[in-house]
């Protein structure tokens, strides 16, 4: 709806009046052929009832409405209008195009948002400050947030349930694929891709580890130690199809050529720093996955990776 | 009342008051209440029509959704016209219905009504009895309309013959308006009007 005519200083040209609300045009748009201009809200309201020009009843649609010419916009922006808050004491007169920015900071605006200075710090409309009660407001806020919190909690429970259901379903699917891959080469490719993705996702969920003392590497860990590490891997979500291989590879008998003997280890020592290692939480051990270490030379890596167990020196 | 409707009506009210038609006493508008939702309009019967010399009062109700919907207008003054109900004063005029456009004003409405008095449209009637008479016996229609203008709108043409017939029916205990409606509907045939009134 347009601006009330009596808010302007001096005469306002008839061209600048909206024929619908009879106020001064606000955000004007014009009809395509006849070029009659109206406030944006006024003409949209009218067209929602009847697709015609309100002046001459030519057929028009919302999509055909156009910007008014610059000259008209300039004429409008030069008009002098009083502040919306004149009745609250603001006696400023402004050019129409600066009205909006003035209103944002007009100190006479009864609804101007101000921070409460009695302690709660909430932002409240100025005219509500005198009836404002910090405790009451904060209580409402708390109860609203409690409600929100309960809603989230509820949703979380539901989501968890759904995720568990889907995990179960996924496991069944994997079993199904494993059974199929033996006979079907296409299925084999898909299953391989899925398993690769799974390892990648898992690897990304682990944090990087830093080995400070490579010399502490245990080349022949005993059964008990292996079992402890394996349980941890399983707890942190190690994909089941690689866990056995990974554990097998923790012993020097399965290490790649570049690591398998004391001699080769000594020769390759300078390359150790290049390994990308992942933490095995809470253990003096790191995971060196082949998908993280494609940059390493072949004789330093083994599929699908290996677990290195240390006496000490893991960060 | 919605802001936009009030803003419009205030402005239109001034527009009518300042208009040249008011200066010529052709149209007039008055406020009935302070919130601009109800107004009283007045139009002069156009020259060279049976309505000449009469003043016709209109009830104008401004809806909350004005000007997106037309004002609701009806004749308070009783009038004999094919497009205006002789019973309720309801008007059949396209711009007060689906041909309304938001840029139309009280002034355009009053002027359109005045134009309607000059040019009836009997094929789109509001009052079937009047429309039938208009089409079948235009002279009779004009005399009747002129008589109604004289009695209800202060028109100058007194029809003594018609008045006497009404007097006869009044003597039989019939209310004068009832008598006029009956006689008007039967082309001032006293016998048939009496028959209808007492059947
Ligand atoms: Zn407007
Ligand atoms: Zn137009
Ligand atoms: Zn201000
Ligand atoms: Zn507070």
């Amino acid at each position: 709806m347009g601006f009330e005519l009596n808010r302007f200083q001096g005469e306002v040209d008839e061209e600048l009046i909206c024929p619908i609300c009879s106020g001064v045009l606000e955000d004007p748009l014009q009809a395509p052929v006849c070029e009659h201009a109206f406030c944006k809200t006024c003409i949209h309201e009218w067209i929602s009832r009847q697709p015609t020009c309100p002046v001459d009843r030519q057929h028009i649609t919302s999509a055909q409405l156009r910007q008014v010419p610059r000259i008209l916009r300039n004429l409008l922006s030069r008009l002098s209008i009083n502040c919306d808050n004149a009745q609250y004491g603001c006696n400023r007169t402004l050019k129409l195009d600066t009205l909006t920015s003035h209103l944002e900071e007009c100190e006479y605006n009864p609804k101007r948002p101000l921070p409460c200075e009695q302690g709660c710090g909430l932002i409240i409309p100025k005219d509500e400050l005198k009836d404002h009660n910090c405790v009451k407001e904060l209580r409402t806020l708390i109860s609203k947030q409690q409600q929100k919190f309960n809603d989230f909690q509820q949703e979380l429970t539901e989501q968890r349930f759904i995720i568990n259901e889907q995990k179960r379903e996924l496991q069944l699917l994997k079993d199904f694929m494993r059974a199929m891959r033996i006979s079907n080469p296409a299925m084999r490719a898909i299953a391989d891709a899925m398993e690769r993705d799974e390892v990648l996702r898992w690897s990304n969920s682990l944090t990087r580890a830093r080995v400070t003392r490579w010399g502490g590497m245990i080349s022949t860990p005993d059964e008990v130690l292996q079992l402890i590490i394996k349980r941890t891997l399983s707890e942190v979500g190690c994909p089941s199809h690689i866990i056995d291989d990974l554990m097998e590879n923790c012993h020097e008998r399965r290490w790649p050529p570049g690591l398998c003997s004391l001699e080769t280890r000594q020769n390759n020592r300078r390359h150790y720093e290049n390994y990308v290692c992942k933490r095995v939480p809470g253990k003096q051990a790191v995971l060196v996955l082949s998908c993280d270490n494609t940059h390493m030379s072949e004789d330093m890596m083994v599929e699908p990776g290996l677990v290195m167990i240390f006496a000490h020196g893991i960060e | 009342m919605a802001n936009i409707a009030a803003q419009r009506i205030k402005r239109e009210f001034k527009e009518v008051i300042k208009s040249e038609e008011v200066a010529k006493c052709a149209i007039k508008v008055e406020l009935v209440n302070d919130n601009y939702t109800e107004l009283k309009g007045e139009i002069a019967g156009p020259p060279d029509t049976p309505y000449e010399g009469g003043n016709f009062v209109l009830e104008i109700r401004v809806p909350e959704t004005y000007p997106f919907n037309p004002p609701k207008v009806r004749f308070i003054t009783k009038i004999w016209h094919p497009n205006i109900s002789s019973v309720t004063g309801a008007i059949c005029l396209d711009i007060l219905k689906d041909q309304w456009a938001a840029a139309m004003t009280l002034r355009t409405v009053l002027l359109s009504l005045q134009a309607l008095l000059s040019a009836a449209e009997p094929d789109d009637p509001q009052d079937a009895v009047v429309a039938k008479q208009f089409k079948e016996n235009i002279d009779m229609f004009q005399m009747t309309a002129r008589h109604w203008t004289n009695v209800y709108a202060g028109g100058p043409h007194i029809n003594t013959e018609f008045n006497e017939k009404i007097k006869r029916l009044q003597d039989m205990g019939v209310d004068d308006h009832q008598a006029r409606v009956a006689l008007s509907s039967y082309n001032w045939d006293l016998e048939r009007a009496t028959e209808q009134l007492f059947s």
Side-chain angles (χ1 to χ4, degrees), chain A residues 12-25:
Chain A
V12 177
D13 197 287
E14 200 58 35
E15 300 286 306
L16 306 179
I17 305 285
C18 167
I20 298 178
C21 67
S22 80
V24 173
L25 292 167

Side-chain angles (χ1 to χ4, degrees), chain A residues 31 33-38 53-58 60:
Chain A
V33 180
C34 57
E35 299 186 346
H36 287 118
F38 313 92
C53 168
V55 178
D56 49 41
R57 293 195 294 237
Q58 284 195 55
I60 53 170

Side-chain angles (χ1 to χ4, degrees), chain B residues 109-131:
Chain B
V109 166
L110 293 176
L111 294 177
S112 302
L113 285 172
Q114 211 168 29
L116 184 68
L117 296 191
S118 306
E121 288 182 37
D123 292 324
D124 186 20
Q126 178 74 31
D127 193 309
V129 178
V130 184

Side-chain angles (χ1 to χ4, degrees), chain A residues 116 120 132 134:
Chain A
C116 165
C120 79
H132 169 76
C134 295

Side-chain angles (χ1 to χ4, degrees), chain A residues 77-89:
Chain A
S77 65
R78 274 187 223 137
L79 295 175
S80 295
I81 187 170
N82 71 10
C83 175
D84 288 37
N85 303 311
Q87 55 171 319
Y88 302 108

Side-chain angles (χ1 to χ4, degrees), chain B residues 9-79:
Chain B
I9 292 294
K10 275 180 205 165
R11 191 171 144 91
E12 290 175 36
F13 184 70
K14 279 188 213 140
E15 179 197 45
V16 175
I17 293 194
K18 280 191 245 155
S19 71
E20 51 181 302
E21 291 86 15
V22 164
K24 289 187 289 184
C25 301
I27 61 172
K28 205 164 120 182
V29 62
E30 278 170 27
L31 288 175
V32 172
N33 58 20
D34 285 340
N35 50 12
Y36 290 86
T37 53
E38 204 175 309
L39 299 100
K40 195 178 102 172
E42 213 174 297
I43 54 178
D48 306 318
T49 69
Y51 311 102
E52 183 170 9
N55 268 313
F56 298 86
V57 179
L58 300 152
E59 175 189 271
I60 304 169
R61 288 174 185 277
V62 183
E64 188 80 14
T65 50
Y66 188 78
F68 299 106
N69 290 112
K72 294 183 169 55
V73 187
R74 73 178 185 98
F75 276 81
I76 299 283
T77 306
K78 299 213 172 299
I79 183 166

Side-chain angles (χ1 to χ4, degrees), chain A residues 83-86 90-92 94 102-103 106-108:
Chain A
C83 175
D84 288 37
N85 303 311
C90 182
N91 52 21
R92 290 280 303 276
L94 308 127
H102 168 72
L103 287 178
C106 176
E107 57 183 307
Y108 293 93

Side-chain angles (χ1 to χ4, degrees), chain A residues 130-285:
Chain A
K130 65 176 181 352
D131 299 322
H132 169 76
N133 177 330
C134 295
V135 176
K136 192 170 146 244
E137 291 299 320
L138 289 174
R139 283 186 82 113
T140 344
L141 196 69
I142 288 173
S143 88
K144 265 191 207 146
Q145 294 193 332
Q146 186 65 46
Q147 181 59 44
K148 241 190 228 165
F149 179 74
N150 291 344
D151 291 348
F152 282 139
Q153 198 87 48
Q154 171 94 28
E155 202 180 317
L156 194 68
T157 317
E158 281 166 21
Q159 294 294 344
R160 273 199 189 127
F161 176 76
I162 294 172
I163 287 175
N164 280 334
E165 288 290 291
Q166 287 177 342
K167 267 188 188 158
R168 238 161 40 95
E169 207 169 318
L170 216 67
Q171 193 52 51
L172 280 173
L173 257 162
K174 279 185 198 157
D175 293 347
F176 177 68
M177 286 191 75
R178 234 162 252 139
M180 292 278 291
R181 76 197 294 189
I182 301 161
S183 57
N184 186 332
M187 197 59 83
R188 195 175 309 146
I190 298 175
D192 289 349
M194 267 179 78
E195 285 179 352
R196 266 199 309 280
D197 284 352
E198 195 183 356
V199 174
L200 268 175
R201 262 201 309 279
W202 179 59
S203 160
N204 286 336
S205 73
L206 300 171
T207 44
R208 281 287 284 271
R210 202 165 76 84
V211 178
T212 53
R213 292 189 205 167
W214 288 98
M217 202 192 305
I218 302 173
S219 52
T220 54
D222 62 32
E223 293 285 323
V224 180
L225 191 52
Q226 288 190 32
L227 220 65
I228 293 171
I229 303 286
K230 185 173 176 181
R231 189 177 310 141
T232 306
L233 285 184
S234 167
E235 278 164 12
V236 297
C238 177
S240 56
H241 67 279
I242 55 167
I243 196 163
D244 287 336
D245 284 337
L246 285 177
M247 287 317 301
E248 282 295 310
N249 295 347
C250 75
H251 198 281
E252 70 173 353
R253 64 175 173 257
R254 292 280 295 260
W255 282 355
L259 295 177
C260 67
S261 69
L262 202 58
E263 194 194 342
T264 52
R265 283 204 286 279
Q266 228 122 46
N267 286 342
N268 285 320
R269 196 147 181 163
R270 63 208 152 83
H271 297 306
Y272 286 179
E273 283 303 320
N274 296 332
Y275 277 126
V276 172
C277 305
K278 294 287 168 68
R279 289 205 76 117
V280 177
K283 299 286 171 290
Q284 289 293 313

